[in-house]
Amino acid sequence: MKNRLKVLRAERDWSQGDLAEKLGVSRQSVNAIETGKYDPSLPLAFTIAEVFELAIEQIFDPKG
Amino acid sequence: MAQADGATPAKKPVVPWFAAMAASLLGIAVGLEYGDIDDPLLSRALLALPILFLVKAGLNAAHNVGRLGPRGRASRAYLVRMLIVSVAYVGAVFAASALIDEGDPVTPLSIAIAIVPGLAIAGYFYAMGRFLVEQQDEFMRMLMVRQTLVATAVAFSAASIYGFLENFGQVPHLDAYWWPITFFFGLGLGALVNKLTFGTYGEGC
């Protein structure tokens, strides 16, 4: 599943480590999600949406 | 030092010590099976070597996850449990070797002493199970599940193949406790598979 995590993170000038800290996960988790190697669970996707103050579908593209 | 100015302490190496454990296990296994080491105490003492490498890897890993604060809580608990079990295992093996001689009559006490090293090994699996329950990072949990699946496949495949080879008289007898040790070797292989497929050994949390 494609996502805009990298772009959204860059817009806020956050490193992967910064985002990981906000999500309470490891930097490796953020990297795996960002590169599309791992699709997050629904609870984690909601947390990501909350951190970016966006709707889930504005971050993740299920057709990707 | 980094700690003096409030910066995060430097990471310590884990993979080289884990590799040393795997290599020493393999070397000792080959040496014991095909070498001429007849002293049972020496052969058991040799088995302590990979455990010491594992303890060093565990201490370094505990240091590294200690840098993560609350996020590393499950990993730190896991590593502490693994180290306790490792020390218990080494102690139990030495105690059993010292107290039970080959040919001694089987008594309830000798059974109680001989069963402790195996129970200590079971402690490793308990620690892994607790880690899977306590780990809050879902990606890291998935990596651990994958790692244990690889290890299980390696151990059961090796046991099956060797078992039939032994059954048909093609190889010498191998004590059954080598199969959980093969599982631990498989964990290293599983971490490598994770590195190749997900870009991380699973060491980050």
Side-chain angles (χ1 to χ4, degrees), chain A residues 20-21 24-29 32 37-41 44, chain B residues 11 71 136-140 142 197-200 203-205:
Chain A
E21 195 71 33
V25 300
S26 60
R27 189 197 59 76
Q28 285 88 338
S29 299
K37 287 178 180 166
Y38 176 72
D39 290 334
S41 67
L44 181 54
Chain B
K11 282 181 78 171
R71 192 159 52 79
Q136 297 298 305
D137 188 318
E138 61 183 52
F139 174 65
M140 288 298 169
M142 184 205 66
T197 53
F198 283 94
T200 174
E203 78 282 14
C205 189

Side-chain angles (χ1 to χ4, degrees), chain A residues 9 14-21 26-27 30-31 34-35:
Chain A
R9 193 168 55 73
W14 293 345
S15 67
Q16 286 187 343
D18 294 334
L19 180 57
E21 195 71 33
S26 60
R27 189 197 59 76
V30 170
N31 184 59
E34 205 169 279
T35 54

Side-chain angles (χ1 to χ4, degrees), chain A residues 18-62:
Chain A
D18 294 334
L19 180 57
E21 195 71 33
K22 292 176 197 299
L23 296 172
V25 300
S26 60
R27 189 197 59 76
Q28 285 88 338
S29 299
V30 170
N31 184 59
I33 295 167
E34 205 169 279
T35 54
K37 287 178 180 166
Y38 176 72
D39 290 334
S41 67
L42 198 53
L44 181 54
F46 269 111
T47 308
I48 293 169
E50 197 177 305
V51 166
F52 285 113
E53 297 178 321
L54 293 169
I56 288 180
E57 58 268 31
Q58 290 177 292
I59 303 172
F60 295 97
D61 178 8

Side-chain angles (χ1 to χ4, degrees), chain B residues 18 20-30 32-33 43-44 46-51 54 89 93 117-118 120-122 124-125 128 150-152 154-156 158-159 174-189:
Chain B
F18 203 83
M21 183 207 70
S24 62
L25 267 179
L26 197 62
I28 291 166
V30 172
L32 286 180
E33 281 306 309
S43 64
R44 283 166 178 79
L46 279 174
L47 289 174
L49 190 65
I51 298 296
L54 181 67
Y89 168 73
V93 168
I121 294 287
Y124 285 120
F125 300 111
M128 280 182 241
V150 170
T152 304
V154 167
F156 279 149
L174 195 62
D175 291 326
Y177 58 69
W178 280 106
W179 304 123
I181 292 173
T182 308
F183 174 88
F184 298 130
F185 174 76
L187 282 180
L189 196 65

Side-chain angles (χ1 to χ4, degrees), chain B residues 98-113:
Chain B
L99 296 171
I100 303 173
D101 289 322
E102 205 171 332
D104 280 356
V106 175
T107 65
L109 179 63
S110 69
I111 292 172
I113 294 169

Side-chain angles (χ1 to χ4, degrees), chain B:
Chain B
M1 291 296 287
Q3 292 92 322
D5 56 10
T8 307
K11 282 181 78 171
K12 291 185 176 178
V14 175
V15 175
W17 289 107
F18 203 83
M21 183 207 70
S24 62
L25 267 179
L26 197 62
I28 291 166
V30 172
L32 286 180
E33 281 306 309
Y34 300 107
D36 56 352
I37 301 170
D38 295 327
D39 185 352
L41 191 62
L42 177 63
S43 64
R44 283 166 178 79
L46 279 174
L47 289 174
L49 190 65
I51 298 296
L52 290 175
F53 287 138
L54 181 67
V55 168
K56 180 61 182 166
L59 285 173
N60 284 2
H63 165 85
N64 293 343
V65 294
R67 301 156 70 245
L68 300 171
R71 192 159 52 79
R73 194 172 295 146
S75 297
R76 199 162 48 244
Y78 167 69
L79 291 166
V80 168
R81 288 182 186 123
M82 292 296 264
L83 290 179
I84 290 170
V85 168
S86 297
V87 172
Y89 168 73
V90 174
V93 168
F94 277 109
S97 300
L99 296 171
I100 303 173
D101 289 322
E102 205 171 332
D104 280 356
V106 175
T107 65
L109 179 63
S110 69
I111 292 172
I113 294 169
I115 208 171
V116 178
L119 289 176
I121 294 287
Y124 285 120
F125 300 111
Y126 169 77
M128 280 182 241
R130 291 301 308 169
F131 178 75
L132 287 174
V133 170
E134 293 169 2
Q135 174 60 277
Q136 297 298 305
D137 188 318
E138 61 183 52
F139 174 65
M140 288 298 169
R141 188 167 55 232
M142 184 205 66
L143 291 180
M144 178 75 168
V145 169
R146 285 169 50 94
Q147 199 179 348
T148 51
L149 283 174
V150 170
T152 304
V154 167
F156 279 149
S157 300
S160 303
I161 292 166
Y162 200 94
F164 278 106
L165 284 171
E166 186 179 321
N167 195 277
F168 291 110
Q170 303 302 303
V171 291
H173 172 71
L174 195 62
D175 291 326
Y177 58 69
W178 280 106
W179 304 123
I181 292 173
T182 308
F183 174 88
F184 298 130
F185 174 76
L187 282 180
L189 196 65
L192 189 64
V193 170
N194 281 338
K195 177 71 175 175
L196 294 173
T197 53
F198 283 94
T200 174
Y201 294 107
E203 78 282 14
C205 189

